[in-house]
């Protein structure tokens, strides 16, 4: 077993205790960042004259990075953690000089730096995946900007909207996720490297240099805070939880809409699964799995907060437990975003069926009440009058769309004919054309605004 400590110990750790403490299985994913950070640190040790043999260390670390990259070198899985694994490989190759790499640093500032660097890079992946789903939704929204569908509240048909309008609502949810990801990235902008264990180092290291080389904005201002802080992980887990919550809502709609009760949508074969017993079935398994796995990501956030709660300052080994939830959440988010983009991009929508559904019931009643109120009638009265109109129509087996001048006068509620402009779904949608509405002008503006954001 490869250890980075032990000088003061007479005995090796108990087998189970050693395995219990190992994190190599999960933190192997940090290998590239571990090497990037070590290389930056070694270069700085050379440049400042602290370690004259730094060149040897740097070039060997670069070789190790390249070999892991192409798969010719595997990390020793008996190491304690990723730091121990890389250090062991380095020792094997350059001997005692390898020991100079750890001058002026500790695993505590190392893991804080490596994890921040990893997360900054994953923020870019997450943003790319979110942007991709947004652009799929935007393209669909543009195509279906005039296709009516029922808008729902309480899962009951409420007012007609368009499919494009509905899809853009999901676009804006994801836009807020992008803002949250920007925040997470900002939470990772300080570089803890050089904080050492908790109290800095006496070596004349150049913290600006390493921060710069690794793309951080600046060195962290307080070594104790820098090695204790895991806020950036909490922020990331929260951002991931919100993304998954949003995707779970999209996936719920996919699941409902692809069922015969709605019949709005059909998933492509490549994103559907069959049943082992019912040959006719097409199941939206991937939408369901995303919906289900969202729970796992919410759990990760709670697990993390519970682990951090009441931890005294200074590194505590508890903090090792921050990474598995982070890694799993980020991977699930990236995959789920990509799957949603794939599902939506290849799906087909039954726009006729959607329109028919929007025409059933009395979903243009609000538009009628609004039209009455526009004539000067108090809205409450208009609401009541429209209610009566709906009842009269129901008695006669008509929908609001079946109304014309003669039928209006037959009902005899003294309702002005101007309401006929909004009794059909298109009229109702057209009448809601102020910013934020589903009307054609408003949708154009919304589409433009969304496109602008994606271009940025
Ligand atoms: N594996 C540890 C972690 O992930 C690395 C830091 C260990 N530091 C220490 N002093 N034991 O948190």
């Amino acid at each position: 077993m490869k250890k980075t400590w032990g000088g003061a110990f007479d005995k090796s750790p108990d087998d189970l205790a050693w395995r219990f403490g190992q994190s190599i299985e999960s933190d192997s994913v940090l290998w590239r960042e571990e090497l990037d950070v070590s290389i930056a640190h070694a270069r700085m040790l050379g440049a400042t004259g602290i370690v004259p043999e730094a060149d040897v260390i740097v070039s060997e670390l670069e070789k190790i990075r390249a070999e892991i990259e192409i798969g010719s070198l595997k990390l020793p899985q008996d190491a304690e953690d990723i730091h121990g694994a890389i250090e062991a490989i380095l020792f094997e190759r350059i001997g005692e000089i390898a020991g100079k790499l750890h001058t002026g640093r500790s695993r505590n500032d190392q893991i804080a730096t490596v994890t921040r660097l990893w997360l900054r890079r994953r923020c870019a992946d997450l943003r790319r995946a979110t942007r991709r789903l947004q652009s799929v939704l935007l393209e669909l929204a543009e195509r279906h900007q005039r296709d009516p569908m029922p808008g729902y509240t309480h899962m009951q048909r409420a007012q007609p909207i368009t499919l494009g309008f509905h899809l853009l609502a999901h676009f804006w949810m994801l836009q807020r996720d992008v803002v949250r990801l920007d925040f997470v990235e900002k939470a990772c902008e300080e570089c803890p490297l050089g904080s050492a264990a908790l109290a800095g180092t006496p070596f004349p290291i150049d913290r600006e240099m390493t921060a710069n080389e690794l793309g951080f904005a600046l060195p962290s201002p307080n070594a104790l805070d820098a090695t204790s802080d895991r806020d950036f992980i909490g922020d990331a887990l929260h951002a991931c939880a919100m993304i998954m919550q949003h995707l779970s809502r999209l996936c719920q709609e996919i699941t409902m809409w692809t069922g015969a009760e709605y019949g709005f949508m059909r998933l492509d074969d490549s994103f559907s699964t069959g049943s082992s017993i019912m040959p006719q079935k097409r199941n939206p398994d991937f939408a369901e799995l995303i919906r289900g796995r969202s729970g796992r990501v919410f759990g990760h956030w709670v697990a993390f907060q519970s682990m951090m709660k009441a931890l005294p300052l200074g590194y505590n080994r508890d903090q090792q437990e921050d990474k598995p939830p982070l890694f799993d959440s980020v991977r699930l988010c990236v995959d789920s975003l990509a799957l949603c983009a794939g599902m939506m991009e290849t799906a087909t929508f039954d726009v006729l069926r959607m329109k028919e559904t929007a025409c059933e019931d009395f979903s243009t009643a609000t538009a009628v009440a609004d039209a009455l109120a526009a004539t000067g009638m108090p809205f409450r009265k208009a609401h009541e009058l429209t209610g009566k109109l709906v009842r009269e129509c129901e008695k006669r087996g008509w929908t609001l769309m079946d109304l014309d001048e003669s039928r209006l006068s037959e009902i005899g509620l003294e309702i002005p004919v101007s309401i006929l402009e909004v009794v059909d779904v298109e009229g109702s949608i057209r009448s809601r054309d102020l910013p934020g509405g589903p009307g054609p002008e408003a949708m154009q503006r919304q589409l433009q605004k969304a496109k602008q954001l994606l271009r940025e």
Side-chain angles (χ1 to χ4, degrees), residues 23 27 81 83 107-108 111 315 317 319-320 323:
S23 57
D27 62 24
D81 54 22
H83 317 306
R107 280 188 295 166
N108 296 351
I111 193 65
Y315 176 83
R317 191 64 181 271
Q319 278 159 277
Q320 180 166 294
K323 282 176 287 306

Side-chain angles (χ1 to χ4, degrees), residues 116-129:
R116 275 175 177 79
L117 184 58
W118 180 88
L119 184 54
R120 260 179 34 214
R121 291 173 179 173
R122 297 298 84 74
C123 278
D125 298 344
L126 282 162
R127 195 179 296 110
R128 214 174 300 120

